[in-house]
Amino acid sequence: MEQHSTTAVYHHEEHGHAGGGTKEVIRITVYLTVITLVELAIGFYMYKAALPEGFFRHFLKGLICALMLWKAFYIVAYFMHLKHEIRNLIMTIVVPLFLFVWFIIAFLADGNSYKNLRNKYDPYHIEQNDKKAPVEHEHGAQKEGTIE
Amino acid sequence: MAQAVPAVQKWWNGGKSPFNVEYGKIMMWYFLMSDAFTFGAFLISYGTIRFATNSWPDPNHVFNSFPGLGAGYPLLFVSLMTFILIISSVTMVLAVQAGQDMDRKRVAKYLVFTILGGLAFLSCQAWEWTHLYHEGAWWGHNPFPNHNGSVATTNFSNFFFTITGFHGFHVFSGVIINIIMLIMTLQGKFDQRGHYLMIEKAGLYWHFVDLVWVFVFTCFYLI
């Protein structure tokens, strides 16, 4: 009985500040759509221009990652309503996620260092890497241009 | 209570709700946080392996088919899947808002749209998996060469099927949860309770599924 009355209180309080309503939903949907289209445009450009590995390609990939995080912010803040929650609640959820900063840097750096070490000290590894794909596999690659 | 009101609000002494959310909702948030770490661990292990590998297949050459059109359309099918999931997330927001207005019919309507969106996404994924399987890709099998023409590692398909499969399982369970919510709505359970908080919790889960797809989509198809 008591629980029932307390949950009813949340409802009424939330009812009061439910964010910007339908208008806000439409605005965020448009933002998400536009950002996705920009991401796809960059991805398509990287494919069409057949960019070589290098700084510019890495820069574009970084840009796509930044746009990805921007989209994630819109979904969490508005669709999941976190922006309108109490600050302490936001902190208990967002602060632990900062572990990812270390997590990403440490693991990717480790992977990169492993690659460099193997390329330097393991001739067999380099030999394996230079092996061309067999004909039957190239057949699969050639098929891509044709219509099934 | 005969006590005087303390000068400083003691939020954690009981009797108050410091976060002003219902218990189930905050626990859903903490569950989603832990799930974010699970997905994060998967995606970071994928990133580590990619950084440790000299060459990798170009996703634009692997994922370039569209049902009925054949091959040669990079990014097209995955764009469709992405937009299906975004739109189903939007209809879920509208269902939650309808729940806050205690509007049973509107909740049911938007839940149906959300479920259809989820089913459409799962169908797309089923088609894509079947297509890749027929191309010869599966766990432990990778027919696609690296972008420089050398033999690629099977890690490419291992990570793709594991992570999109794990995400697809989340979509599947989200659809099941939404169907249960729809049944409960139609039975008038939430009107009896006096609130539609369950819809909000299911909504949080559904948005999380959309959120994860933002990352999976970027990591596997764009980068």
Side-chain angles (χ1 to χ4, degrees), chain A residues 3-4 7-11 13-15 17-18 20-22 25 29 32-34 36-37 39-44 46-47 53 57 61 64-65 67-69 71-73 75-76 78-82 85-86 88-89 92-94 96-100 103-104 107-115 118-119 125-126 128-134 137-138 140-141 143-148, chain B residues 12 17-23 25-26 29-30 32-33 36-41 44 47-55 58 60-62 64-65 69-75 78-79 82-83 86-87 89-90 93-94 97 99-102 131 134-135 142-151 192-197 200 203-205 207-208 210-211 214-215 217-219 222-223:
Chain A
Q3 219 182 359
H4 180 88
T7 44
V9 170
Y10 302 127
H11 172 71
E13 282 176 11
E14 274 185 10
H15 198 83
H17 59 87
T22 317
V25 175
T29 311
L32 286 176
T33 310
V34 170
T36 307
L37 288 175
E39 281 183 341
L40 288 168
I42 297 173
F44 191 68
M46 287 203 302
Y47 165 70
E53 291 288 329
R57 196 176 167 90
K61 286 182 175 182
I64 288 175
C65 287
L67 290 170
M68 166 184 86
L69 291 176
K71 268 165 69 174
F73 166 76
I75 292 173
V76 175
Y78 294 97
F79 282 4
M80 297 171 89
H81 217 262
L82 192 60
E85 303 290 0
I86 282 176
N88 284 342
L89 170 57
T92 62
I93 293 158
V94 173
L97 293 180
F98 277 103
L99 273 173
F100 273 124
F103 211 21
I104 291 168
F107 277 82
L108 296 192
D110 194 44
N112 198 41
S113 131
Y114 182 52
K115 175 180 75 183
R118 275 211 300 186
N119 285 345
H125 172 69
I126 301 165
Q128 285 299 304
N129 266 289
D130 290 340
K131 244 171 58 183
K132 288 288 159 205
H137 290 171
E138 279 180 357
K143 209 175 71 180
E144 282 164 4
T146 59
I147 291 172
E148 284 172 278
Chain B
W12 302 96
S17 170
F19 287 165
N20 194 34
V21 283
E22 185 231 2
Y23 176 78
K25 203 167 156 184
I26 194 164
W29 267 112
Y30 292 145
L32 293 181
M33 189 175 74
F37 277 106
T38 310
F39 271 109
I44 291 168
T48 308
I49 294 297
R50 262 191 86 162
F51 267 74
T53 310
N54 278 324
S55 192
D58 182 352
N60 287 312
H61 288 289
V62 177
N64 68 352
S65 296
L69 293 177
Y73 300 91
L75 294 172
V78 73
S79 319
T82 304
F83 282 109
I86 289 178
I87 297 304
S89 210
V90 173
V93 179
L94 295 173
Q97 287 188 350
Q100 285 167 351
D101 295 340
M102 302 289 288
H131 174 77
H134 287 308
E135 298 247 292
N142 175 27
F144 307 108
N146 287 327
H147 60 78
N148 62 7
S150 55
V151 179
Q192 284 165 28
R193 285 184 196 174
H195 57 79
Y196 278 75
L197 282 170
E200 295 187 24
L204 283 180
Y205 184 75
H207 296 313
F208 179 76
D210 181 29
L211 178 70
V214 167
F215 288 86
F217 159 69
T218 308
C219 292
L222 284 176
I223 291 182

Side-chain angles (χ1 to χ4, degrees), chain B residues 103-223:
Chain B
D103 187 339
R104 183 156 64 100
K105 274 200 177 140
R106 231 169 76 223
V107 172
K109 183 177 90 177
Y110 285 124
L111 273 180
V112 169
F113 288 154
T114 309
I115 292 165
L116 288 178
L119 289 175
F121 182 85
L122 285 174
S123 315
C124 287
Q125 204 167 34
W127 181 85
E128 188 172 45
W129 274 43
T130 312
H131 174 77
L132 288 171
Y133 179 75
H134 287 308
E135 298 247 292
W138 202 238
W139 277 275
H141 299 278
N142 175 27
F144 307 108
N146 287 327
H147 60 78
N148 62 7
S150 55
V151 179
T153 158
T154 55
N155 283 330
F156 175 76
S157 25
N158 292 345
F159 275 108
F160 175 80
F161 286 113
T162 303
I163 295 178
T164 60
F166 198 61
H167 175 262
F169 181 66
H170 275 73
V171 179
F172 174 74
S173 43
V175 169
I176 299 293
I177 290 170
N178 285 342
I179 289 174
I180 295 169
M181 292 302 120
L182 178 64
I183 294 169
M184 287 171 82
T185 308
L186 292 175
Q187 285 177 339
K189 282 252 162 69
F190 302 126
D191 287 321
Q192 284 165 28
R193 285 184 196 174
H195 57 79
Y196 278 75
L197 282 170
M198 278 307 274
I199 303 288
E200 295 187 24
K201 285 172 243 174
L204 283 180
Y205 184 75
W206 190 254
H207 296 313
F208 179 76
V209 166
D210 181 29
L211 178 70
V212 170
W213 181 250
V214 167
F215 288 86
V216 172
F217 159 69
T218 308
C219 292
F220 280 98
Y221 296 89
L222 284 176
I223 291 182

